[in-house]
Amino acid sequence: TWGMGEHARRRADEVAALRHGVERGVTQIDTAEMYGDAESVVGEAIAGRRKEVFIVSKVLPENASRQGTIAACERSLKKLKTDRIELYLLHWRGEEPLEETIEAFTELVEAGKICDWGVSNFDISDIGELWKTPGGNGVAVNQVLYNLTRRGIEFDLMPWCRQHKVPVMAYSPIEQGRQLGHAALREVAARHGATPAQNGVVGGGPQSAVQGVGAVKAGQALARGVDGEWQRASSPLRTPAAVAGYRTSATASAQLLEQAPPPRLVGRWRS
């Protein structure tokens, strides 16, 4: 929902777009306190359908002290018009002690205001520091930039997360739409009766522990077709997941998607 809630004249369309996705099987909505008024847009969109949606939101690093995290979560709950957030993340590493943030997350879990907590944009040194912090091994996910052309996490972060059984959640899985015109993705999509967007967010090697932001029900995908219409289709590539362990070029990755076995998601939750 980055970019939503910034202009009042767009609000009705943004709410309608989110509702349209939920109606067609989208089960996860990702938002954050940093995204302006996006959380309130989400709250309006999911009214009456709360049980169908898995909400991810995030606390800003400057608010991530013990009391600041709790207060930020309360604000997010109010905007979202809900009593709980399924997954609550520290948006990126800041100056507040990780011990305080973890203590706040633990308190929020115990109060039933969040179901799980995680981090976002943590590199290998950040996640290593978190793991050594008391309670840090309770992290449910690390949300990072990852797609067919953004493969840096495969060098060290993804192996570390796999070894420690920390799921990786990929944001911008289709590079904010810029990958949709890639010839290789379009070719593979045509062979499988899918869309380039579906191909862009699926795949994964046998040891994959990657979950895509905005993931949908297993076996389905929601994507904007070439004609601009939204469509849901049974995906032969078995969503949700992102591609892991292939060569650096998008062309090679797209070609190997066809042979990719179904991913094995690791963690306490599924969306």
Side-chain angles (χ1 to χ4, degrees):
T1 59
W2 182 36
M4 289 188 175
E6 296 180 358
H7 303 281
R9 59 186 175 82
R10 298 180 186 170
R11 187 180 183 91
D13 288 340
E14 292 166 350
V15 170
L18 290 175
R19 285 179 178 167
H20 194 73
V22 173
E23 288 168 1
R24 280 152 182 78
V26 171
T27 59
Q28 179 178 304
I29 298 179
D30 180 274
T31 189
E33 67 168 337
M34 188 187 81
Y35 301 164
D37 203 32
E39 288 176 318
S40 68
V41 174
V42 173
E44 185 176 344
I46 65 174
R49 310 196 68 150
R50 178 63 183 90
K51 293 182 179 180
E52 303 173 44
V53 180
F54 183 104
I55 294 177
V56 181
S57 194
K58 312 174 195 74
V59 57
L60 281 166
E62 55 262 38
N63 294 333
S65 64
R66 190 171 189 276
Q67 291 304 316
T69 300
I70 293 171
C73 183
E74 294 285 2
R75 290 193 297 271
S76 292
L77 290 169
K78 185 175 181 180
K79 286 188 172 184
L80 290 163
K81 299 179 181 178
T82 186
D83 61 351
R84 71 193 183 283
I85 295 170
E86 277 73 19
L87 182 61
Y88 197 46
L89 309 179
L90 173 58
H91 209 148
W92 63 85
R93 183 73 173 94
E95 298 299 323
E96 297 292 345
L98 288 173
E99 293 91 336
E100 290 198 20
T101 309
I102 294 171
E103 288 174 1
F105 284 154
T106 302
E107 183 174 336
L108 289 167
V109 170
E110 291 173 350
K113 294 181 179 180
I114 65 174
C115 300
D116 260 317
W117 64 268
V119 294
S120 182
N121 298 302
F122 269 41
D123 61 19
I124 189 67
S125 61
D126 294 330
I127 198 74
E129 179 186 357
L130 176 72
W131 198 255
K132 295 175 182 177
T133 303
N137 60 359
V139 60
V141 72
N142 185 14
Q143 184 189 103
V144 293
L145 175 64
Y146 184 57
N147 58 52
L148 289 173
T149 58
R150 306 275 190 158
R151 315 288 291 277
I153 67 169
E154 294 174 6
F155 177 69
D156 53 8
L157 182 61
M158 188 180 291
W160 187 98
C161 289
R162 183 177 295 128
Q163 179 184 355
H164 293 82
K165 294 182 171 58
V166 176
V168 173
M169 176 181 283
Y171 68 80
S172 296
I174 54 175
E175 193 69 8
Q176 299 179 358
R178 290 188 291 272
Q179 291 181 357
L180 299 184
H182 195 284
L185 286 179
R186 297 178 72 86
E187 180 184 348
V188 173
R191 284 201 293 267
H192 288 281
T195 68
Q198 288 171 333
N199 277 0
V201 300
V202 301
Q207 302 302 316
S208 176
V210 181
Q211 172 82 30
V213 169
V216 298
K217 294 178 180 177
Q220 297 177 334
L222 182 70
R224 185 179 293 278
V226 175
D227 59 358
E229 293 298 320
W230 286 98
Q231 51 189 288
R232 183 178 64 178
S234 177
S235 171
L237 302 175
R238 306 189 187 189
T239 57
V243 182
Y246 298 138
R247 299 186 184 94
T248 56
S249 77
T251 300
S253 298
Q255 291 169 343
L256 287 170
L257 277 171
E258 294 181 286
Q259 293 111 33
R264 178 171 58 85
L265 299 182
V266 180
R268 300 189 298 277
W269 50 268
R270 303 289 185 272
S271 63

